[in-house]
Amino acid sequence: MNLPKTFFGWVGLLIEQYGTMFLRGTGYTLIIALSGTVIGFVIGLLVAILKTIPVVPKDGWLKKIGLKVLNVILNVYVEVFRGTPMIVQSMVIYYGSMSMGIRMPVLFAAILIVSINTGAYMAEIIRGGIISVDKGQKEAATAIGMTHWQSMVRVVLPQAVRNIMPSIGNEFVVNIKDSSVLNVISVNELYFTGKSAAGTYYRYFEAFFIIACIYLVLTFTITRLLRLLEKKMDGSANYTIYGSQSDSKASIKLPREGDVPLD
Amino acid sequence: MTDNRFTGPILQVEHLKKSFGAHEVLKDISFSVEKGDVVSIIGSSGSGKSTLLRCINFLEQPTDGQIFFQGKNAEHDWPRGQYHANVGMVFQSFNLFNNMTVLQNCTEGQIRVLKRSKKEAEEKALMYLEKVGMTPYIKARPAQLSGGQKQRVAIARALAMDPEVLLFDEPTSALDPEMVGEVLGVMRDLADSGLTMLVVTHEMAFARDVSSRVIFMDAGVITEDAPPAEIFTNPKHPRTREFLSRVLEK
């Protein structure tokens, strides 16, 4: 077999031989990063909602102590998973569970690790988002009788999430890149496939040049998509005025079933 | 859930106290409101007017004292959601839900708290939005409205809950002078329709002409509580006299 002489010759050869493997690696990386970010986001939301439950004097001692304990647990979770590297968490969780007799499929383990790691960061990002929403929004919701859960889910969090979309995007991009550390538990993600491909001919530069390009395309595309999503969340800048502006008594047709919904 | 046979004072505040740390904002406040009363609460900034209103609907937890609504203890005998639906609030800074349209602002509470159907809630919302002259804007978002328009929507949002009592916390203080009139006009109509209102305000003309009673607060206590004609023509307390002469001068 004739081995290539040039850099791009090697790149071509590696793509030809390992192209499908790289594609599969890309798929794994995307699945891990996407599910990790989504699950982590849900964890973050739950932590944020639980941590902001208000305590009022008429609550019983059980609820008060329960909330205190819950708060301590959630704080420990956030501190531990933000305070240790994900590569170390991978080893501890994967091999730890194995030593307890639980053999997780590696892809499951990978998603689990990225999710709880992301959840710890998301909890803090969402907390920041909640702080960014004017206190009056929650007060208004409370003042018409909505519960903590209702006012958070319907009023505060939608606004908080809009405000933190850039940080959520960051977290997604970080997850695409950082899922590479999962190669330590032999997940077939992108970095792992690069290492395998490089090893055959000892062409590390060329192999990882390809891998770098794929990572860049992934993160660039996703950043653009998230920007589009943000635009969509902001909604239209225009609105329809019904009837006549000078005559507020102008008739309005009530929405009926089968009509185009008002919102 | 409201009791129509109940004939006593609709709202009763007894020995209400509120401290923020060492700072005592409300010192032993007691008064009662009859159904249909329009009570204006006036006084200098920092006298505790807003805090009083916020304690009445538990946005601030009172340090001590009791509040009775229709004769039942508001804190212990009323489910919190029911109480809030019955005792509505209009804020100085409007606090419309920024993530919703005007119409959604007025249906959200009805659907979530009163469990009304979407259709029923929309009909009710449109009825009150028409009352405040905001029907053309049902699809607009709060950020697209002027201050006066926002406050009129906020009033419609509160009314859509069919409250027994409506609390107004300086509803015109954040508005341009030009827009104050449109909001006061709506409030005047509400007072005429027999709604029980408790209004913290700096609008002396409103207090004098519209309310059935005026409460003057100074340094965390009620110093005077009388019909407007009496307070404005013959104030008894020196602090009331001093305050009125200062604000009416302008």
Side-chain angles (χ1 to χ4, degrees):
Chain A
M1 182 174 162
N2 268 336
L3 290 178
K5 306 258 163 354
T6 62
F7 172 77
F8 286 107
W10 275 110
V11 168
L13 178 81
L14 287 175
I15 290 178
E16 198 187 311
Q17 291 197 350
Y18 298 105
T20 42
M21 191 170 88
F22 289 153
L23 272 182
R24 206 177 48 235
T26 307
Y28 267 75
T29 291
L30 267 179
I31 288 170
I32 294 167
L34 184 63
S35 14
T37 311
V38 171
I39 299 171
F41 176 65
V42 174
I43 295 175
L45 282 178
L46 287 175
V47 172
I49 292 178
L50 292 174
K51 281 186 80 161
T52 47
I53 294 176
V55 184
V56 292
K58 80 168 185 181
D59 290 337
W61 60 272
L62 199 66
K63 186 179 171 193
K64 281 179 188 162
I65 293 177
L67 282 178
K68 276 247 165 67
V69 172
L70 184 70
N71 242 308
V72 171
I73 294 172
L74 295 177
N75 283 338
V76 169
Y77 160 65
V78 171
E79 288 304 327
V80 167
F81 282 90
R82 278 200 317 169
T84 53
M86 193 157 78
I87 193 166
V88 177
Q89 291 163 15
S90 314
M91 300 301 264
V92 171
I93 291 177
Y94 187 65
Y95 291 105
S97 60
M98 204 185 275
S99 75
M100 283 186 284
I102 308 161
R103 233 196 115 83
M104 289 186 271
V106 277
L107 183 63
F108 175 82
I111 292 173
L112 179 77
I113 290 158
V114 177
S115 298
I116 49 183
N117 183 279
T118 309
Y121 282 93
M122 285 287 192
E124 285 298 289
I125 293 174
I126 290 165
R127 196 171 67 87
I130 290 173
I131 293 170
S132 77
V133 176
D134 177 25
K135 204 157 102 293
Q137 297 284 313
K138 175 91 207 266
E139 285 185 352
T142 308
I144 56 171
M146 290 165 81
T147 61
H148 174 68
W149 178 265
Q150 287 173 335
S151 53
M152 289 303 275
V153 171
R154 299 286 308 167
V155 178
V156 177
L157 288 176
Q159 296 180 52
V161 169
R162 170 61 194 95
N163 291 350
I164 58 171
M165 270 311 279
S167 306
I168 295 175
N170 258 349
E171 212 45 39
F172 192 13
V173 167
V174 164
N175 278 344
I176 287 178
K177 297 184 294 171
D178 282 6
S179 56
S180 59
V181 304
L182 294 164
N183 81 86
V184 295
I185 57 168
S186 309
V187 185
N188 264 318
E189 44 70 46
L190 195 49
Y191 175 86
F192 190 82
T193 57
K195 223 166 58 167
S196 313
T200 322
Y201 300 102
Y202 290 99
R203 304 307 299 191
Y204 283 87
F205 180 35
E206 290 83 356
F208 282 101
F209 176 76
I210 299 168
I211 298 300
C213 289
I214 299 176
Y215 272 118
L216 193 60
V217 169
L218 283 184
T219 52
F220 185 80
T221 320
I222 276 152
T223 331
R224 298 299 110 176
L225 286 177
L226 286 170
R227 199 59 48 81
L228 277 178
L229 181 65
E230 278 185 46
K231 276 227 173 92
K232 201 167 150 45
M233 285 174 91
D234 286 340
S236 163
N238 305 314
Y239 62 96
T240 323
I241 290 184
Y242 291 87
S244 146
Q245 215 173 345
S246 52
D247 176 15
S248 58
K249 298 263 185 324
S251 76
I252 307 285
K253 197 165 86 72
L254 291 180
R256 297 276 172 234
E257 244 127 292
D259 279 3
V260 185
L262 280 164
D263 45 330
Chain B
M1 283 301 274
T2 58
D3 187 355
N4 291 323
R5 290 157 306 167
F6 181 74
T7 50
I10 192 160
L11 193 70
Q12 222 174 327
V13 175
E14 280 181 7
H15 306 293
L16 189 73
K17 288 179 189 150
K18 175 67 185 173
S19 304
F20 293 103
H23 181 49
E24 202 177 14
V25 182
L26 296 178
K27 304 164 187 163
D28 201 15
I29 300 272
S30 299
F31 69 99
S32 62
V33 180
E34 301 291 332
K35 198 170 164 63
D37 264 355
V38 176
V39 181
S40 290
I41 305 174
I42 60 170
S44 327
S45 298
S47 57
K49 308 183 298 288
S50 289
T51 307
L52 171 60
L53 225 55
R54 292 169 60 81
C55 279
I56 290 176
N57 77 349
F58 299 103
L59 287 180
E60 300 290 352
Q61 183 61 39
T63 315
D64 201 6
Q66 260 110 45
I67 294 158
F68 295 91
F69 174 66
Q70 291 186 333
K72 286 198 286 179
N73 189 305
E75 193 172 3
H76 302 289
D77 302 335
W78 277 97
R80 191 48 64 85
Q82 286 292 333
Y83 178 69
H84 276 134
N86 276 308
V87 182
M89 177 110 166
V90 173
F91 297 86
Q92 178 178 354
S93 47
F94 331 122
N95 296 350
L96 290 181
F97 304 136
N98 292 323
N99 56 325
M100 298 179 194
T101 63
V102 163
L103 186 66
Q104 287 169 329
N105 262 279
C106 298
T107 56
E108 186 65 19
Q110 299 186 66
I111 295 170
R112 307 282 151 191
V113 182
L114 303 178
K115 310 289 175 204
R116 287 181 184 151
S117 71
K118 191 174 176 221
K119 187 169 160 264
E120 196 188 346
E122 280 180 350
E123 278 171 12
K124 187 134 234 167
L126 284 171
M127 185 179 103
Y128 284 113
L129 283 167
E130 174 150 18
K131 209 170 189 172
V132 299
M134 283 301 291
T135 17
Y137 299 91
I138 47 175
K139 265 197 170 180
R141 289 183 174 270
Q144 296 162 328
L145 303 177
S146 75
Q149 291 175 327
K150 281 187 211 176
Q151 195 61 298
R152 285 188 280 151
V153 173
I155 291 173
R157 173 176 70 180
L159 288 173
M161 302 297 288
D162 291 323
E164 290 288 318
V165 180
L166 206 46
L167 311 173
F168 291 82
D169 185 10
E170 303 195 26
T172 57
S173 299
L175 299 177
D176 293 343
E178 233 184 321
M179 292 168 181
V180 170
E182 63 185 66
V183 171
L184 286 181
V186 169
M187 289 171 62
R188 207 178 280 259
D189 290 346
L190 289 178
D192 291 342
S193 73
L195 181 71
T196 312
M197 294 161 64
L198 210 58
V199 188
V200 169
T201 186
H202 291 291
E203 295 294 330
M204 290 306 135
F206 180 86
R208 191 184 54 213
D209 304 337
V210 182
S211 46
S212 53
R213 247 170 77 202
V214 176
I215 287 177
F216 178 76
M217 277 184 74
D218 182 48
V221 292
I222 294 180
T223 50
E224 214 158 330
D225 179 349
E230 212 174 304
I231 289 231
F232 282 96
T233 53
N234 185 22
K236 291 197 178 56
H237 200 278
R239 271 298 292 140
T240 321
R241 245 174 277 153
E242 191 188 321
F243 173 79
L244 285 175
S245 70
R246 238 180 321 133
V247 293
L248 294 177
E249 229 161 55
K250 289 182 280 183

